[in-house]
Amino acid sequence: MSYSSGPPHKGAHFLNVVVATMFLLLSIWNLVADARLTTHLLLQSSFALCFLWLFLSAWFLGGLILAYFPKRVFITAFVILTFRSSLGWPLSLATGLEAACHALNFLLVAIAALYLVWLFLRPTHFYGRPRFRWQHSAVSLVSWMGITALSFVTGLLGVAATVDEISSGFVQITPRGIFFTEKIFQKDEHRVHLIGLAHIGESDFYRDLQNAFKQPIDGDRLVLTEGVTDEGNILPAGFKSGNTYAGFAKQLGLEEQKSFAGQDDANSEIGGADLGSVTFGSVTFMNADIDISELKPMHLNLLITLLETMESGNLIESLIASSSIQISSEEMEDFLLEGLIGQRNEHLMTIFETAHRDFEEIHVPWGAAHLPDLERRFLSEGFSLMSKKKRLGIRFN
């Protein structure tokens, strides 16, 4: 858009230089903060990104009134920041989450640098700009409304794509609800079913799994169940009794996971931990989890702290309380990957190696967070992926 020539507006060019410099510095800060992170990008609490959001929001609001600010710059910057805040979607579909976020961070720095260079090369471009122009404000307002609506869509799609990526497809979020995937692997005469699930979900989801375990096959079936034991009585009472999960499930209109061996059976617990080994016909249910005391002290202490924040039984209160725990991203990644997942998966594989030879089918219905690592382990053992099956675990309606 061209403007008629006129006397220079005092301070217009200087104001743009100040804004461009701040934009460049904050963009560089955000780029460096993400690049220096040694853990997964999702574990970063990025102050840089928050400040960049606040700055661009203020710049955008200023651009609604002042025609001094070139809307093609701040609108473009805000669109890119929207995609970055949406976990890199849709670029992440092609490159993965972290590569997409780093690329968008670099693009923001490039735009800020070009904007600043352009200001010094073309200072007279701003001399003819009016202080206010209703066409400029109208375009900016419509763009702001459009980007706001876009951010909700890209945010949801970004979360869905990220969950699919980090879960290796075992969890998929759709408009209908959350689906969990069962992947079937084969090696020689043995078939392994890795079955993703959550510990609260739809009642018919768990019923479908129980029915699947009862389906007749040629041979015998082993179900390796999840559920830490607590011989030392270390766990908080609410979690150990199952009341914590039951309370969360009730608030969400869902059901907590019961024992797959049969909730009325003496060898099962309402809390979802199938203890020991029990056989029904050709189906053997065997607990393949660790005792809680086997966790490393640092992992155990953090787990107890987290579980204690859930003792109120109120989902919102628990989320607020858990967010107040002071822990670095490196400590959290070690706790999740090595403690809650790695150590328990290692124990499961030990049980599997010992027990699976007498069974044609082995089912592993575990929390979906465990399964990407288990999938890598089974593939490294020579198993091949044969097929997949999806189940609706949580309905959004």
Side-chain angles (χ1 to χ4, degrees), residues 112-131:
L114 290 173
Y115 175 38
L116 188 59
V117 170
W118 179 60
L119 287 171
F120 283 107
L121 293 179
R122 297 286 301 277
T124 57
H125 180 82
F126 294 89
Y127 288 179
R129 285 177 176 263
R131 186 184 304 273

Side-chain angles (χ1 to χ4, degrees), residues 7-37:
H9 291 294
K10 187 177 180 180
H13 181 259
F14 176 75
L15 182 59
N16 273 274
V17 170
V18 171
V19 168
T21 302
M22 292 178 63
F23 178 25
L24 179 60
L25 293 176
L26 288 172
S27 297
I28 293 174
W29 180 21
N30 184 57
L31 174 69
V32 172
D34 283 355
R36 293 182 62 185
L37 186 68

Side-chain angles (χ1 to χ4, degrees), residues 43 60 75 137 190 217 224 228 292 326 332 350 371 381:
L43 295 177
F60 207 125
I75 290 176
S137 298
H190 301 292
I217 62 170
L224 295 175
V228 293
I292 194 66
Q326 299 296 318
M332 178 58 73
T350 300
L371 301 191
E381 292 291 330

Side-chain angles (χ1 to χ4, degrees), residues 136-171:
H136 174 93
S137 298
V139 171
S140 299
L141 179 61
V142 170
S143 299
W144 176 77
M145 295 171 62
I147 295 173
T148 301
L150 176 68
S151 66
F152 286 104
V153 176
T154 59
L156 292 173
L157 292 173
V159 169
T162 300
V163 168
D164 182 72
E165 177 186 336
I166 64 176
S167 71
S168 296
F170 282 101
V171 182

Side-chain angles (χ1 to χ4, degrees), residues 141-372:
L141 179 61
V142 170
S143 299
W144 176 77
M145 295 171 62
I147 295 173
T148 301
L150 176 68
S151 66
F152 286 104
V153 176
T154 59
L156 292 173
L157 292 173
V159 169
T162 300
V163 168
D164 182 72
E165 177 186 336
I166 64 176
S167 71
S168 296
F170 282 101
V171 182
Q172 293 183 327
I173 302 176
T174 73
R176 185 181 172 192
I178 301 177
F179 284 82
F180 297 95
T181 299
E182 173 182 349
K183 296 184 181 182
I184 303 173
F185 300 84
Q186 178 92 32
K187 180 184 179 183
D188 300 328
E189 71 276 13
H190 301 292
R191 291 184 301 278
V192 173
H193 299 243
L194 294 184
I195 304 170
L197 52 79
H199 299 308
I200 57 174
E202 305 289 342
S203 58
D204 55 358
F205 171 76
Y206 300 118
R207 192 179 306 114
D208 180 41
L209 283 177
Q210 285 184 320
N211 291 334
F213 299 150
K214 298 176 183 177
Q215 294 299 317
I217 62 170
D218 294 330
D220 294 321
R221 175 182 291 123
L222 173 65
V223 182
L224 295 175
T225 57
E226 178 186 10
V228 293
T229 56
D230 184 20
E231 295 181 1
N233 200 28
I234 299 172
L235 294 172
F239 182 81
K240 188 173 182 179
S241 67
N243 291 334
T244 298
Y245 274 141
F248 292 164
K250 184 177 181 180
Q251 292 170 57
L252 296 171
L254 300 171
E255 182 176 312
E256 78 276 18
Q257 178 189 336
K258 301 294 196 305
S259 166
F260 288 121
Q263 47 188 99
D264 295 326
D265 185 81
N267 293 288
S268 67
E269 286 192 356
I270 292 178
D274 299 301
L275 306 180
S277 175
V278 58
T279 300
F280 297 96
S282 62
V283 183
T284 297
F285 292 86
M286 181 183 297
N287 180 263
D289 217 331
I290 65 173
D291 187 84
I292 194 66
S293 62
E294 296 178 49
L295 286 176
K296 294 179 180 179
M298 58 182 298
H299 295 152
L300 179 59
N301 292 336
L302 179 55
L303 176 61
I304 298 300
T305 301
L306 286 170
L307 294 180
E308 287 175 345
T309 65
M310 304 178 185
E311 283 293 273
S312 68
N314 183 283
L315 185 59
I316 302 301
E317 291 179 2
S318 298
L319 290 173
I320 295 174
S322 62
S323 66
S324 65
I325 298 176
Q326 299 296 318
I327 182 172
S328 68
S329 59
E330 291 79 10
E331 291 172 330
M332 178 58 73
E333 184 172 71
D334 178 68
F335 169 67
L336 294 174
L337 297 185
E338 298 300 325
L340 293 190
I341 295 176
Q343 187 174 346
R344 294 166 66 194
N345 285 2
E346 186 69 33
H347 186 267
L348 182 148
M349 294 301 296
T350 300
I351 298 295
F352 170 82
E353 289 297 332
T354 302
H356 85 280
R357 294 180 180 85
D358 297 328
F359 299 89
E360 282 70 28
E361 280 198 1
I362 301 92
H363 290 247
V364 184
W366 277 46
H370 291 267
L371 301 191

